[in-house]
Structures are given as structure tokens and as C-alpha cells.
Amino acid sequence: MEAIKRTTPASEAEREAIDGLLGPGEDHLGRDAIAGHVVRGRRHLLLPCLHALNDRIGWISPPAIDYLASRLGASPAEIHAVASFYGLFSLSPREPVQRHVCIDLACRAAGGPTEHSVDDGAHPAPCLGLCDRAPAAITIGGHDPEPDPGLAAVDRANDDVLLRRVGSGDPVDLDAYRADGGFSALDRARELGPEGIIAAVEASGLTGRGGAGFPTARKWEAVRTQPVTPHHLICNADESEPGTFKDRTLIENDPYALIESMAIAALAIGCELGRVYLRGEYLRAHRTLSTAIERCRSAGLLGSSAGFDIEIIRGAGAYICGEETAIFNSIEGYRGEPRNKPPFPFESGLFGQPTAVNNVETLMNVPSIISEGRRADRRLFCLSGAVRRPGVIEAPIGITLGSLIERAGGLPRGHARWSCRRLRRSGRP
Amino acid sequence: MTAIDDTRPEIATVEAMIDGVTVRVAEGTTILDACGGRGCGIPTLCYGETITPRNACRVCMVEVEGSRTLVPSCSRPVTEGMVVTTRSERIDHSRRMVLEFLGSSVDLSLTDHVEEWNAEYGADPTRYGPEAARVDEPVRIDNDLYVRDYSKCILCYQCVDACGEQWQNSFVIDIAGRGFDARVSTEHDVALPDSGCVYCGNCIQVCPTGALMFTSEYDMRQAGTWDEARQTQVDTVCGYCGVGCNLRLHVQDDSIVKVTSPPDSGITSGNLCVKGRFGFQHAQNRPTAD
């Protein structure tokens, strides 16, 4: 490809942000055949590099794109194409700290702004998954989000399984998690072995909670039996559906359960590195999960000694990246556009290798299935808008809308109560 | 004497049923090719003879028994026992919708067959009204050789693939932005002379909608003198080097107005370099009468 020399080189800060992930720049790399393969083999670091630039500089400049292109053995047009794909990145100058204000349903209903009435300098954002605390806004860049005591906006019940630990103490306290029976399901899973795990999951009737409802055991079995290695596990945490915030609630409040669930899934399908594709706007979940992963590594529960590790991939504001094949492209450093199926992910997914993609809630069902032989007959529901206690509710599959609204405290004074009564009377799921 | 073993490896074939007719084709053949390829009656927009289709346009969708969704016939290989329907109410509805969406948002006036398909499928691109979102932007004229009119672009990826790994390996353009703001773009959207473009024009060759056009054609269209009925096509061989690329000269009023290359040429597969594509002016330098 033709190398175009532009007059302005990348700034020192931009080069540092990129070199921090790719190592010090070496000009000869990419100039001979072998090194070219090495350079191009790092394309999956493109998205993290773009994040590094955005976090540090606030935007992605043409010289930074040119520099990235030279470091990754790609053309500037390709890098520009990827950088311009994501909503959280800017290709024009702006401050490193950005405020994103939700203009979606629940926040609008709670008095939030419209696309045209957001404050100057703030970005109008699609649903931020903070509907339980509407109207919502987030700040990206410049700081790490602090833990928030108001996090666990859930309606707890005594027989909760998925939400059992939500709101009960410090979510990243590993000792507390272990004292509560944490990682015993993983021990049991090791005894069962891959086929035993899959049999237990099959008996539980667990189906995908991301929306498609595909039987989880069948997906795992299909990946497990693929001759091509390595096998990949991706936890789809790109929760972006307006009004949905259950996956965020789970990760922020019970990160170790997700880690344990992924470790069991990895055991079942034969995978050594699991990836969590986490929505870019979920900064607090990112911090919580990173801390939990770090602590597990220190305790030898993750990492080379454990035979399994987890990596978080930050999304960057693209609803479509919740689609499983779009996730592959996004992780690989390409535009997050869906791929053709077939081939299906179980045979040709991430990097063209066998891959299981599971939603957060799906995975969180796994520990109780393995340790207690539970049936997967419960689901999470997100209630927001005109209810007294917005939040996540765990309930048996088949609960009526009326009962859900009742558990969320019913409608606030002044709202049409008849609709609630009607829903209850109809009594149908 | 040694007998020469001239038995060739047998080509694996698959049998399928297409519109009630049993067909047997080589393994890997797409549904569209099994139906006869371009011009077989299945409409195609993003499908080009020399580019592996990305099935971006979704106008060639057909029904396959057992498949929940319609499938793109240009990309889905025929498999053993496949039962395909290429025309049904569901398919027609889908094609009508695609034609209306594309036709309401971009200018398809130079795209082959669109008018007849609109009639065939009852598509009315104006039905979303004058307020319908439309890619409306000025023609980009930033060099002497070709123009880019993205108000005609259906984002079919053919130019991107011709510029990139499928033919030229220049990687000068890609789709940037997302959704309605997506455009074929150079890096940082710089003008072509500031990009790595080598002006091979292989993107123009594959563009199905006239979004990419020779400046000579564009100027004549603007002046109202472009008239394909008066044009002849002459196939010849490029004389610039020894490769022997096939040229197809489009001639109007004794002047070359455009150069393409036959897509089925075994030498070029429709591709040329800047000299073959654009270096035709010398051929028509006539002695001035003095």
C-alpha cells in the first residue's frame, strides 16, 4: 500500500497511549515479511488502543490514526473506518472528560432532556442502562467511578437465586464470596468434567437469556466437540436494549459469580481464555469486574496456574455489537458489523475458531445448576419508569406483568391505577 | 511405456431442489449461480462478477426450507438436499422493501434494471414522502480522472474490496461512520490526491450505481451530450506494457469517452492500471489543421 507522509506526526502523548499497549515503536517492523505477520497479528489491539487515545486525549486525531496504522500494518483508511464506527469516540477535538446524558425512554419519563435540550458540551446518549436511577448521565475519562451505595436497586426476595448476593455487602470481597459457598460449584464442575457439566446444564433446561433462547447445553456441546482449537468463550455483556440493566446489576454486585460461571463454562467447552465484551458505558461494572479478576488472579483462581483467565474487552458505544458475530469483528479490530451465518459461531467464531457466546444472565444461572441441580426456571426483569421502586426483579418464568409491577411498588400516585388492576385480573403470563 | 493417468479428481457435487426443479451443481456453488447467475431473474445490486459479494444489498434474498430467515442467494452455497424457493409472497415483500428503502434514500437512476424491478415487485420509493431521509451531498470532484457522487452510493462494498484485498491491495478507501452517516471514505476523508489512491479506476469498474464515474462521462452527462445509443464498444489490447490487458474502449462520435475492461478477461478480470484506464488521450490527439 502507498505510504502517505503527512506533515504533523502524532503527539508524544498519543504515541505513549498507543505504545503503552503495543510496546515501543520500531520503524523496521512491518517492512519485512515475517515482522509484517507479527505486526498485523496485533490487529485485535486496535479497539484497546482507540480507548487508550480517547481516555487520555479525548479524541482520535488524524496523526494518531496514521501512527496506529503504521504500528498495526493497516492502512489509515481502515483504522479511520473502525474509529468512526463507535459512538464513544470522536474524530474531532474535544476535552478528555466527556459527559453523556441519557435521552432514552425511562430518563425522558423522569424529566431527562431530549436530543436537542442536553446541556452545552454534553453528548446525548442512547439508554445508558441506568434506568433505575433515571434521569441518568455518565462521565467518561479523567477518573474512575466511585462505588455507589445506591447501586443495588433491586427488589429482593428470600428465594432469589440469581440476585442472592446483590446488595449484601462488598461485591469485591473475595473472602466473603468464598465463605458464602463461592467457587464450590467450580469444584463440583471439576469432578463432573465437561460432559457432566453439559449434562447438568441440559437437565436444567437453561436457555439463552440474551433474547434468542437457544439451549445452552447444545451450544456448549457443539463447541466442545469441535476438533479445531483453541475454543473461545465470550460473555456478552454489551447490554444495550433500552430499559435493560440486569446484566450491569449482576456484574456490579456479584462479579465473582460471573467469574465462577465463566470458569465452569470454559471447563465445559475446553477454553483457556474467556472474554467479557462489556458495554463501553458500563464504567463501574468495568471497575468492579477488573478488581474481582485481579483478586482472583492473586488468589490463584485465575491465571496460568488455574488454567483459565478472563480478559475484559470494552465496547465503545455501538448497539449492534451486542449481536454475537458483530462482537467477533469488534474484538478482532474491525468494524462491528455482523457476519454471515453460516458458518455459525460454534464452528467459526472469534478468529475463525469455535466460540460460545453467552449472555451474563445465562452464565449466572450455571453455579446453582451445578452445585444444587436447580432447574433454570427463573428470570430477571427490569422495571423502570412509572413504578415506585424501579429495579431488577427475579421471578419465576411466567409471572404476570401485574405482579411484577406490584413487586416494584405499584404505580406512583397520580398514575392510571386501573391499568395495573386490569393486568392483574387478566392473570395471564 | 508408461500409461499416463489422466483421470481427474472427481468434482464433488450436491443435489438441490430450486423452484421444484432438481439441480446438481459443484460443491460450493452459490444459490444464485445455481440459478444461472446474474440475469437469471433474481435481482442483484451488490453482486459483481469479479468481486466476492458481501451480500450488503439484500435484494437477492430467497427462501430456503428450514431456515427461519430469508437467505442471500449471492453468498449462500447450495448444500445437499436444499430446497430453495426464489419467488414467493414473502420474498417479493422483502425485495419490494429493499428497493423502496434504497430508492428513497439514494439516487438509483443510473442503476441497471432498477426501474423494471420496481415495476415487477410493485416498489414505490416515493411512498415515504418528500421528508424521507436521503443521502444528499454534492458530487466530489477533487481530481481530473473520476468523480465520486455518494448520493448514488448503496454502500455495497465493491469499491472497497476492489481497492483492498480482492484486487488492487491499495486499501485507500473503506466504509467510515455508521448508520445513515456511513460513507465510503479515504482516511480522515481527505481528497483523493492527498490519499494513497493510485487511480487504477478498478473501483469505477465495479460500481453498480454510477456513484463512481469517469470525469469525461460526468462532464458529458452534465452537458447533456452523453448518449449510450450513439456509442460503440471496441475491444483491444493495451499497448503500454507487455502484460496485454484487454481494454474495452467506449467510443462516441469518434472519441474515446470511457475505458473499461471485460470482466471475463482471463488477463485482467476487469482490472487495469492508471495508464490503461485513463491514458487514452494520446490516441485521439488529432493534428491541428494549420
Side-chain angles (χ1 to χ4, degrees), chain B residues 25-267:
Chain B
V25 293
E27 207 172 38
T29 307
T30 63
I31 297 173
L32 184 72
D33 285 337
C35 293
R38 182 186 252 173
C40 67
I42 298 176
T44 57
L45 284 170
C46 73
Y47 172 82
E49 286 139 290
T50 62
I51 299 277
T52 305
R54 296 251 199 158
N55 54 72
C57 77
R58 319 304 281 183
V59 81
C60 72
M61 307 299 275
V62 296
E63 276 187 89
V64 169
E65 213 172 84
S67 168
R68 187 171 52 86
T69 54
L70 297 177
V71 307
S73 64
C74 67
S75 308
R76 179 67 63 85
V78 175
T79 50
E80 184 64 37
M82 193 181 244
V83 179
V84 181
T85 309
T86 67
R87 200 72 199 261
S88 70
E89 201 182 319
R90 185 180 176 202
I91 293 167
D92 286 9
H93 183 256
S94 165
R95 288 178 188 165
R96 180 162 62 243
M97 194 182 73
V98 167
L99 289 165
E100 286 175 345
F101 279 172
L102 286 174
S104 72
S105 54
V106 293
D107 172 12
L108 296 181
S109 59
L110 297 184
T111 311
D112 286 344
H113 306 298
V114 163
E115 255 176 70
E116 55 193 83
W117 292 333
N118 280 345
E120 186 169 351
Y121 295 98
D124 173 17
T126 65
R127 81 181 176 98
Y128 300 107
E131 298 297 302
R134 208 170 165 81
V135 180
D136 230 346
E137 54 177 64
V139 180
R140 296 175 194 221
I141 307 173
D142 55 14
N143 68 88
D144 294 338
L145 301 180
Y146 69 100
V147 304
R148 297 177 287 157
D149 180 3
Y150 290 138
S151 66
K152 292 192 176 71
C153 174
I154 58 167
L155 299 171
C156 72
Y157 272 95
Q158 286 198 71
C159 58
V160 174
D161 289 336
C163 184
E165 63 182 12
Q166 290 197 29
W167 290 120
Q168 191 62 26
N169 281 285
S170 281
F171 299 95
V172 172
I173 46 172
D174 205 336
I175 310 273
R178 201 172 74 209
F180 213 86
D181 299 325
R183 296 283 185 285
V184 177
S185 173
T186 58
E187 69 271 22
H188 329 307
D189 205 16
V190 296
L192 282 175
D194 298 326
S195 76
C197 178
V198 297
Y199 301 97
C200 62
N202 293 332
C203 53
I204 312 170
Q205 172 94 25
V206 295
C207 179
T209 62
L212 302 174
M213 191 182 277
F214 271 62
T215 305
S216 49
E217 176 177 348
Y218 178 75
D219 288 344
M220 289 174 74
R221 283 184 186 273
Q222 291 300 103
T225 55
W226 182 263
D227 184 358
E228 280 175 22
R230 269 160 55 207
Q231 289 174 13
T232 50
Q233 297 183 2
V234 183
D235 285 2
T236 181
V237 176
C238 181
Y240 273 107
C241 77
V243 172
C245 295
N246 290 183
L247 302 181
R248 178 163 291 165
L249 309 176
H250 299 245
V251 180
Q252 181 178 330
D253 302 335
D254 225 13
S255 284
I256 301 169
V257 291
K258 174 164 94 170
V259 177
T260 58
S261 180
D264 56 357
S265 156
I267 299 163

Side-chain angles (χ1 to χ4, degrees), chain A residues 83-379:
Chain A
S84 62
F85 182 82
Y86 294 101
L88 291 185
F89 298 146
S90 170
L91 299 182
S92 49
R94 64 175 183 186
E95 293 302 309
V97 179
Q98 307 118 34
R99 227 158 64 80
H100 296 260
V101 181
C102 181
I103 56 162
D104 231 313
L105 266 181
C107 290
R108 284 283 294 285
T114 66
E115 185 175 359
H116 306 290
S117 67
V118 290
D119 297 343
D120 278 351
H123 300 277
C127 180
L128 294 169
L130 293 165
C131 321
D132 48 340
R133 281 172 290 165
I138 58 165
T139 307
I140 294 183
H143 80 301
D144 257 346
E146 291 306 314
D148 180 347
L151 267 182
V154 289
D155 177 65
R156 292 282 317 280
N158 288 333
D159 58 345
D160 277 355
V161 179
L162 301 164
L163 297 177
R164 194 158 65 87
R165 291 189 196 85
V166 173
S168 60
D170 180 4
V172 289
D173 185 341
L174 181 53
D175 294 332
Y177 180 75
R178 293 177 107 163
D180 190 38
F183 288 106
S184 60
L186 180 58
D187 294 337
R188 174 80 188 118
R190 290 209 176 92
E191 292 163 22
L192 289 173
E195 284 160 70
I197 298 170
I198 290 171
V201 171
E202 171 139 46
S204 77
L206 179 62
T207 55
R209 301 295 197 236
F214 191 82
T216 306
R218 261 174 65 194
K219 189 183 277 186
W220 288 4
E221 177 67 7
V223 176
R224 183 187 76 82
T225 50
Q226 286 297 307
V228 174
T229 55
H231 296 175
H232 299 284
L233 170 69
I234 296 174
C235 169
N236 185 349
D238 194 47
E239 181 176 61
S240 309
E241 202 68 40
T244 318
F245 46 93
K246 63 184 178 71
D247 296 340
R248 175 183 60 76
T249 304
L250 289 172
I251 297 174
E252 285 179 355
N253 291 280
D254 202 2
Y256 292 116
L258 179 62
I259 293 171
E260 183 174 4
S261 306
M262 287 183 70
I264 297 169
L267 207 56
I269 65 169
C271 158
E272 288 170 5
L273 176 64
R275 292 174 174 86
V276 179
Y277 189 88
L278 183 64
R279 192 174 172 198
E281 289 88 339
Y282 282 2
L283 303 166
R284 188 169 281 118
H286 184 264
R287 180 179 160 143
T288 309
L289 189 57
S290 309
T291 309
I293 289 172
E294 268 315 312
R295 292 189 183 178
C296 283
R297 282 186 191 140
S298 304
L301 292 159
L302 287 177
S304 50
S305 62
F308 176 64
D309 207 348
I310 294 178
E311 180 183 39
I312 305 177
I313 315 284
R314 281 162 76 191
Y319 175 83
I320 188 61
C321 287
E323 197 277 338
E324 59 181 358
T325 61
I327 290 184
F328 304 150
N329 281 340
S330 182
I331 294 178
E332 290 180 24
Y334 297 92
R335 288 165 60 81
E337 290 168 354
R339 296 178 183 173
N340 280 317
K341 290 193 275 195
F344 289 96
F346 75 87
E347 51 179 350
S348 178
L350 187 64
F351 302 114
Q353 288 150 349
T355 307
V357 184
N358 293 115
N359 170 261
V360 176
E361 185 190 341
T362 315
L363 288 166
M364 292 290 247
N365 273 280
V366 172
S368 65
I369 290 169
I370 299 300
S371 56
E372 300 159 37
R374 279 195 63 90
R375 277 200 65 74
D377 55 0
R378 305 178 72 86
R379 293 210 65 158

Side-chain angles (χ1 to χ4, degrees), chain B residues 15-24:
Chain B
E15 194 172 277
M17 174 98 78
I18 299 180
D19 291 334
V21 179
T22 304
V23 295
R24 178 163 282 284

